[in-house]
Amino acid sequence: MYKGITFSASLMCIDWLNVEKQIKELEESLVDYIHYDIIDGNFAPDFTMGSSIVNLVQNKTSIKSDFHLMVDEPSRIFDAFNVPKDSFFTIHQEACRNLYRDLIYIKQKICKVGVALSPATNIDTLEYVIEEVDNVLLMTVSPGYMGQKLVPQVLKKVEQLKKLREDYKLNFKITVDGNVNLENIPKMIDAGSDNLVLGSSGLFRKDRSIKKSIELIKECIDKII
C-alpha cells in the first residue's frame, strides 16, 4: 500500500517467458496483490489462465491473490481454485442470475468478496448488495482483451460509487481495471478509486522494468496525495 492506494498486478499481462523473474520483481516492489483474470470466452472474448496455472503461481509467491472472474454463471467454477482466506474473489453483476446468492456464498465459504461492473452497467444495480461486499471493481475498458483505451465516462461512476460508500458509511475498496497508466491514474484516484489493477499500459512495459514502473506510479500519486 502506498498512501492508502493498493496495487494489483494483472497476471494476464506478465511476460510468460520470464514469469519467475517478474514475480520476484513484483515481490521486491511490494505489490499488494496479483490479479488473476479468469475469462471463459463467453462472458468476455479471449481466454486466460486456468486453475492449474493460477494455483501454481500462488504456490510460488507470497503476494496476496485478487481473483476477477469474467465468466458466465461463475458459481460453476468456484471450487476450481485454491483461494486463501485473505484473497479477494470478484464476480460480475452482469454474469449472475442470482448475484446476491453467489456473493453470500463467496463471503461465507471462500474469502473476501467483490462485485465487478462493465462500463455500461449502472451503479444503481449494486444498491441491494453493496453492504455485503469488500470490493467493487469498475471496468474502465470493455471486459476481455488487454491494451484497450479508457472509457472516460467510467470516472463518473467512480465518483458515484465513492458517494454511495460515504452515504452508507461502508469501507469497501473501489478498484479500477483497464488502461491504468501514468496519464489516467491521477484522474482515477481523484474520482475515488483506491485499488489500481496494473497491466500492460502501466506496469508490464517493454520500455521499462517493473521496479521503474512502480517508482513512476508512486511519483504520480505523490502529485495528488
Side-chain angles (χ1 to χ4, degrees), residues 10 12-13 37-48 68 70 119 139-151 177-180 199-201:
S10 178
M12 71 181 288
C13 301
D37 284 302
I38 313 301
I39 304 177
D40 65 354
N42 292 314
F43 175 73
D46 206 2
F47 297 89
T48 53
H68 178 195
M70 289 175 267
M139 294 295 301
T140 51
V141 301
S142 295
Y145 297 109
M146 61 185 184
Q148 300 178 62
K149 296 298 182 182
L150 173 77
V151 178
D177 184 356
N179 207 216
V180 182
S200 58
S201 67

Side-chain angles (χ1 to χ4, degrees), residues 53-128:
I53 294 176
V54 171
N55 294 339
L56 177 63
V57 172
Q58 285 191 120
N59 289 335
K60 294 293 184 179
T61 182
S62 58
I63 302 175
K64 294 179 181 180
S65 298
D66 171 21
F67 288 84
H68 178 195
L69 274 64
M70 289 175 267
V71 175
D72 279 333
E73 288 304 312
S75 59
R76 297 180 293 110
I77 62 169
F78 282 171
D79 297 329
F81 302 94
N82 296 327
V83 184
K85 288 292 185 182
D86 59 357
S87 305
F88 285 105
F89 205 79
T90 298
I91 58 177
H92 268 265
Q93 185 273 347
E94 308 90 352
C96 303
R97 290 192 188 93
N98 191 329
L99 178 64
Y100 184 82
R101 177 197 62 196
D102 291 345
L103 292 174
I104 294 301
Y105 180 87
I106 295 168
K107 185 175 183 178
Q108 294 180 347
K109 303 289 186 181
I110 302 178
C111 64
K112 292 183 285 187
V113 64
V115 61
L117 297 184
S118 296
T121 304
N122 199 300
I123 289 293
D124 292 344
T125 61
L126 295 183
E127 198 151 2
Y128 76 105

